[in-house]
Amino acid sequence: MPGASGQALGGQRAQRSPERQQPPWWMSMKSGAPARRAPRWWRCWRASGQRKVPGGRSGTREGTKSSSLGACEWLLVLTSLLFIIVTFPFSIWFCIKVVQEYERVIIFRLGHLLPGRAKGPGLFFFLPCLDTYHKVDLRLQTLEIPFHEIVTKDMFIMEIDAICYYRMENASLLLSSLAHVSKAVQFLVQTTMKRLLAHRSLTEILLERKSIAQDVKVALDSVTCIWGIKVERTEIKDVRLPAGLQHSLAVEAEAQRQAKVRMIAAEGEKAASESLRMAAEILSGSPAAVQLRYLHTLQSLSTEKPPTVVLPLPCDLLNFLSSPSNRTQGSIPFPNPPKPVEPLNPKKKDSPML
């Protein structure tokens, strides 16, 4: 029995020996070798210290990770702190600065970015001899994009300019990734607009500016979020067309306007003719209305053109010359052509039999 129990214990130790040969989880994180899963508290702490950056990258709370200080650097830091403590009443005025509500401060100590969030708003402490700080304005910035040439889908060449509104979202990531913010944003806007407008025609560019601006904003925001910049809005300001294209478009527009004018004039003449026909039908039913209209026309001529001499023709004379059938109907009479008058006693021709 003792031998059997010893063999069983030996077998269990032999089975557990491969687990003991694996490095612990905190050593495997540096070496990269596979090991047992880290404890829950470690994973939660690591998750709280990192966040997912829009665009698929992960980083610290401010998007960057600073390197640790060396031994000599720590010695300089301790010496500077000791000097500040010795000269405390006077040195404190050189170690405190004020940050406005719309600003954030990033501190570099001996060239290393200090960990943590950006300082501000309010007071912040820094070492005058070892630290350098940079202020970042978080207010909305306006960038005017100059004119640049683009080629449309229907092979027209034009020049456009735009306006871009953006703000600094992540100060630490911005200072560590970009040197010239305005130039980077300007060139990115120009290349993005060239790429997107190459798939649209000239008519779409002139009429659908709102949708084009929204597409450009989405495309810019997907790139600038990695730099710590948030694009708020992008608008097309002006469009310049070549002289030849302007002339051809003007001729086409003039032809369309002339066609519309002819159509409107034809519709007006049609409506006027229908109104005149209805008026003639109404006047034909009442001779008094014809006489009143005739007098009103004479009054209008005498009022508008005084030197004009009008010789009116009485309507009764026209009625007298008209046929009895027209007088009974009450229509405007017109003289009928004279008919040949037959003789009272026409000579009768003799019969051929006589």
Side-chain angles (χ1 to χ4, degrees), residues 22-26 28-29 33-44:
Q22 293 180 356
W25 58 271
W26 62 82
S28 62
M29 295 187 66
R36 290 178 297 178
R37 191 176 183 183
R40 183 179 177 82
W41 63 270
W42 174 262
R43 287 185 279 110
C44 293

Side-chain angles (χ1 to χ4, degrees), residues 92-99 122-126 133 135:
I92 191 65
W93 301 104
F94 300 95
C95 301
I96 295 178
K97 294 292 181 181
V98 180
V99 182
L123 297 174
F124 72 95
F125 178 83
F126 75 104
Y133 65 91
K135 291 184 178 181

Side-chain angles (χ1 to χ4, degrees), residues 133-152:
Y133 65 91
H134 298 273
K135 291 184 178 181
V136 178
D137 196 345
L138 301 182
R139 292 177 293 183
L140 190 67
Q141 305 290 332
T142 304
L143 180 63
E144 185 174 356
I145 311 300
F147 281 96
H148 56 282
E149 290 186 353
I150 62 168
V151 181
T152 61

Side-chain angles (χ1 to χ4, degrees), residues 159-274:
E159 295 182 354
I160 62 172
D161 65 339
I163 299 177
C164 181
Y165 302 93
Y166 65 95
R167 66 173 70 252
M168 313 300 179
E169 190 178 32
N170 193 327
S172 301
L173 187 60
L174 177 66
L175 289 178
S176 60
S177 58
L178 284 180
H180 304 283
V181 179
S182 59
K183 287 186 178 181
V185 175
Q186 175 183 336
F187 295 151
L188 181 63
V189 171
Q190 290 180 352
T191 54
T192 303
M193 294 187 73
K194 285 183 178 181
R195 176 172 55 86
L196 293 179
L197 296 182
H199 301 281
R200 292 181 177 266
S201 61
L202 176 62
T203 307
E204 294 176 352
I205 294 174
L206 296 177
L207 299 179
E208 301 178 2
R209 290 193 179 187
K210 187 175 181 180
S211 61
I212 292 174
Q214 183 65 25
D215 295 342
V216 172
K217 175 189 173 301
V218 173
L220 291 175
D221 201 10
S222 63
V223 178
T224 56
C225 63
I226 307 175
W227 301 339
I229 299 175
K230 173 67 175 178
V231 177
E232 297 291 343
R233 192 171 181 178
T234 305
E235 293 290 342
I236 298 177
K237 185 179 178 182
D238 193 10
V239 178
R240 288 182 181 177
L241 302 177
L245 182 59
Q246 290 181 8
H247 179 70
S248 61
L249 292 177
V251 171
E252 182 181 359
E254 184 65 23
Q256 293 179 358
R257 285 194 294 269
Q258 292 294 336
K260 290 182 179 179
V261 167
R262 293 190 183 96
M263 291 178 62
I264 294 172
E267 292 177 357
E269 290 179 359
K270 179 181 178 182
S273 62
E274 292 179 356

Side-chain angles (χ1 to χ4, degrees), residues 60 62 64-67 69 74 77 105-119 124-127 130-133 172:
T60 60
E62 287 299 320
T64 57
K65 186 177 180 180
S66 60
S67 58
L69 299 177
W74 276 114
V77 171
V105 172
I106 305 301
I107 300 176
F108 291 90
R109 180 163 295 170
L110 296 173
H112 300 277
L113 179 63
L114 292 183
R117 302 178 64 87
K119 310 297 180 183
F124 72 95
F125 178 83
F126 75 104
L127 300 177
L130 305 179
D131 294 348
T132 57
Y133 65 91
S172 301

Side-chain angles (χ1 to χ4, degrees), residues 43-63:
R43 287 185 279 110
C44 293
W45 181 80
R46 293 282 294 179
S48 64
Q50 294 185 356
R51 67 177 180 90
K52 193 73 173 178
V53 178
R57 297 186 181 182
S58 61
T60 60
R61 292 179 180 177
E62 287 299 320

